[in-house]
Amino acid sequence: MARWILIFVPLFRVTLLTAFSQEFERLDAKIAVSQRRPFVEISEQDIKPSVQAIAAIDNTNVFFLNKRGQAGVAKFSPGLSLIGWELYSKVKLNAIGTLGLGPDYSLVTASPFEVTQAFDTLGDGSLDFFEGIVRTWPGRKQGVTITAGPVPDTAGRLLFALSPHATEDGETPLARLVAWHPDQDELETVTESQLLISSFAIGPNGLLAARLSMPNYNEGFYISLTELNSSNSKAKEPAKASLPQTLPSLLIPAELTGGEEPTQICFFTEGGVTKLILTCPDSRELIEVVPEKEENLWQGAILLRSLAPSPIESVVEMSTGSLLGGGPDGFFPLEIPDDEFRIEKVAVAEDGVVLNFSKEVSRKQAVIDTFYSVDSISFRGLNKTLEVTPVIESDGKTVILKTDEIGKGVVLKVSCENLASASGDPLFSETVFYTIHEG
């Protein structure tokens, strides 16, 4: 039996002006009816949906999940203006706040104890066929549960995180990322981690970004960046020695998130650069991470991207660089104003730190060294303030902060206090961070 899910058509039908065109439409519909998926028209609603998780179907349609465990669908214009939305039905009351898009446009959710695939087989706007595609895994009877996912990858797999996971008696429990594929009988382990994985995303070329849980650490929040092994084989379990280790890569400082924990992660592309965005619903802050690989280690810049108008629980990239957020107050296109003065890029050079701004800086202010501070914080917690000599490039948008040797194994904190643009605009956020690993 074929399985279908809803696809939406525009709400406005084009009025045909001639009898010929009307007849053509009827013939076209008759020929193509067997190729079209069932659909429903969505009516515009006065109230806004509560959104906990989003999965993009295409550039204008999404699935979403609310905190009551109800799944819904929403349609947007190309500019991400909400056209309408509609709830399907309850999936699971205790569903984890992540959605995946499965085969044949199916909706995939997970609870701590099951990965579930849902279809609308009747085409009546209600999810009526549910299938538990993953219900068993090693250690389930001993308390191993699903903590994050499901997230699809380009190989047709669905990945989710398990914790705590021990394959043998007496072994130290680990978190583990596993993959389910419809053509394989058993789960495939793709990473191991010493820390519980609370959320994750998979980006271009199989890069895994995972939020690692450290409940007793107050200085910040750890993100792991790991290159996953590409796997199209039917191997049940790769050799343990070849498993990537999901280790802390970047520290998101608590002062940048308002002390609130980042919850969900999303990859997106902006200006040809792959970036991450992390949601902090309680503080309404959205954190941007620009990952860079240096000597087989992932590091990069961390900055405040924007302050959301209301709590954002989930973010998804609809089209390249176009971000849609969702939370208790509905959906929000997450755009940065074109005229906002902000730090766009941070890089580490041999002689210091390079800052790129969205606008030309005030040259009168930008040459004052006391307007800047660069602190080097070692992974052992030792703080060192570096002397700064600012140099403005000819474009006026690039400032090089020449410093003493920065070293390895540190987190850089760069602040540009009171710096304004040439037109007098204040910086949206004065502070950025950069993680540099020991080679």
Side-chain angles (χ1 to χ4, degrees):
M1 177 174 61
R3 297 170 178 170
W4 306 107
I5 198 66
L6 303 185
I7 297 296
F8 307 104
V9 298
L11 299 178
F12 304 102
R13 299 182 181 276
V14 177
T15 301
L16 302 180
L17 302 179
T18 66
F20 173 80
S21 59
Q22 291 174 353
E23 181 64 17
F24 181 85
E25 184 185 41
R26 286 194 293 270
L27 289 172
D28 178 68
K30 185 175 181 180
I31 293 171
V33 67
S34 62
Q35 301 174 4
R36 292 181 179 173
R37 295 185 174 91
F39 66 87
V40 293
E41 288 192 353
I42 301 180
S43 300
E44 184 178 354
Q45 300 193 37
D46 294 333
I47 60 175
K48 296 178 180 180
S50 174
V51 180
Q52 185 185 19
I54 311 171
I57 301 172
D58 51 33
N59 290 346
T60 56
N61 297 293
V62 302
F63 292 125
F64 69 92
L65 183 75
N66 64 21
K67 290 194 174 183
R68 297 176 62 186
Q70 295 171 302
V73 288
K75 184 177 182 64
F76 300 85
S77 70
L80 294 186
S81 295
L82 181 62
I83 293 175
W85 64 275
E86 185 170 306
L87 286 176
Y88 275 167
S89 54
K90 187 169 290 186
V91 179
K92 283 189 177 294
L93 186 61
N94 57 350
I96 296 172
T98 308
L99 291 180
L101 193 65
D104 297 326
Y105 294 96
S106 58
L107 179 65
V108 186
T109 63
S111 73
F113 306 104
E114 179 183 300
V115 178
T116 306
Q117 194 171 15
F119 299 89
D120 174 20
T121 59
L122 300 178
D124 61 358
S126 179
L127 296 174
D128 51 50
F129 183 88
F130 296 85
E131 181 181 9
I133 56 178
V134 182
R135 289 176 172 169
T136 60
W137 50 82
R140 189 184 191 282
K141 294 182 179 180
Q142 289 73 43
V144 177
T145 61
I146 300 173
T147 60
V151 175
D153 70 359
T154 56
R157 305 181 300 179
L158 288 169
L159 278 67
F160 54 95
L162 299 174
S163 184
H165 192 294
T167 56
E168 299 178 3
D169 291 340
E171 187 178 60
T172 302
L174 302 172
R176 185 165 294 195
L177 205 68
V178 298
W180 170 87
H181 193 283
D183 294 336
Q184 292 183 212
D185 295 331
E186 297 184 12
L187 299 176
E188 176 186 351
T189 302
V190 292
T191 71
E192 287 185 341
S193 172
Q194 295 284 349
L195 302 171
L196 182 146
I197 299 172
S198 60
S199 63
F200 69 96
I202 301 173
N205 303 319
L207 180 61
L208 166 72
R211 164 81 177 89
L212 304 180
S213 179
M214 290 186 65
N216 297 322
Y217 187 72
N218 298 322
E219 298 300 318
F221 310 96
Y222 276 117
I223 299 294
S224 170
L225 296 169
T226 312
E227 291 176 281
L228 299 182
N229 293 334
S230 59
S231 177
N232 294 316
S233 68
K234 299 294 182 70
K236 295 180 179 179
E237 187 83 6
K240 186 169 182 178
S242 67
L243 283 177
Q245 297 295 305
T246 304
L247 303 173
S249 302
L250 300 171
L251 175 65
I252 312 296
E255 68 175 278
L256 199 61
T257 69
E260 302 296 340
E261 179 178 1
T263 54
Q264 293 197 10
I265 304 173
C266 171
F267 277 96
F268 70 106
T269 302
E270 189 172 55
V273 178
T274 297
K275 300 180 180 180
L276 290 168
I277 190 165
L278 287 78
T279 61
C280 300
D282 291 339
S283 63
R284 299 189 293 119
E285 292 175 321
L286 298 172
I287 307 302
E288 179 182 310
V289 177
V290 186
E292 294 181 355
K293 191 174 184 181
E294 182 71 23
E295 298 180 0
N296 295 320
L297 293 173
W298 285 94
Q299 53 189 41
I302 306 158
L303 60 151
L304 179 64
R305 180 176 177 85
S306 62
L307 188 65
S310 69
I312 298 294
E313 297 278 357
S314 180
V315 177
V316 65
E317 185 177 38
M318 297 293 289
S319 58
T320 302
S322 178
L323 294 171
L324 176 68
D329 297 323
F331 292 100
F332 298 92
L334 301 177
E335 299 178 349
I336 294 177
D338 293 335
D339 60 349
E340 193 170 71
F341 182 45
R342 58 189 298 113
I343 301 171
E344 289 190 327
K345 184 179 178 182
V346 186
V348 177
E350 291 185 1
D351 56 350
V353 180
V354 181
L355 301 174
N356 291 98
F357 297 87
S358 60
K359 291 183 176 183
E360 186 175 343
V361 299
S362 166
R363 294 177 181 269
K364 183 177 180 179
Q365 294 179 342
V367 295
I368 302 175
D369 55 9
T370 56
F371 275 31
Y372 308 94
S373 64
V374 179
D375 291 321
S376 173
I377 307 167
S378 74
F379 293 163
R380 300 174 182 85
L382 301 177
N383 192 333
K384 178 183 178 183
T385 299
L386 306 179
E387 292 187 10
V388 173
T389 302
V391 177
I392 306 172
E393 293 285 285
S394 59
D395 62 2
K397 293 184 178 182
T398 304
V399 176
I400 301 173
L401 303 180
K402 294 192 174 184
T403 67
D404 302 329
E405 184 177 355
I406 294 173
K408 303 287 187 179
V410 298
V411 175
L412 284 183
K413 178 182 177 182
V414 183
S415 297
C416 308
E417 297 179 7
N418 303 316
L419 181 63
S421 72
S423 56
D425 301 312
L427 270 173
F428 166 71
S429 177
E430 298 179 342
T431 304
V432 296
F433 295 83
Y434 195 99
T435 300
I436 304 174
H437 287 290
E438 296 181 7

